[in-house]
Amino acid sequence: MLYRTLKRMIERGQTEGMENKLDFFYASNKITEAEYQELTGMLGAGGKE
């Protein structure tokens, strides 16, 4: 559920501070490595995938 929420936020352009949030959630095992990689990739692409 957290992954879907984060993905939706990125798609909507709500990316302020998102990189830090993703780092925190990944470090605390709230999202998997695959999810982390996908979400950070979306950030690098401007949220468009």
Side-chain angles (χ1 to χ4, degrees):
M1 177 140 163
L2 175 62
Y3 163 75
R4 290 187 307 202
T5 302
L6 293 168
K7 185 172 182 177
R8 211 171 316 122
M9 288 176 69
I10 294 170
E11 289 171 343
R12 292 180 179 169
Q14 300 171 320
T15 58
E16 187 172 334
M18 184 61 71
E19 190 171 342
N20 290 333
K21 290 175 188 173
L22 294 176
D23 290 344
F24 174 80
F25 290 134
Y26 177 62
S28 60
N29 292 318
K30 300 292 183 187
I31 59 176
T32 66
E33 183 175 355
E35 292 168 341
Y36 176 79
Q37 293 295 330
E38 179 181 348
L39 294 171
T40 54
M42 289 176 68
L43 279 178
K48 307 291 183 207
E49 192 168 277

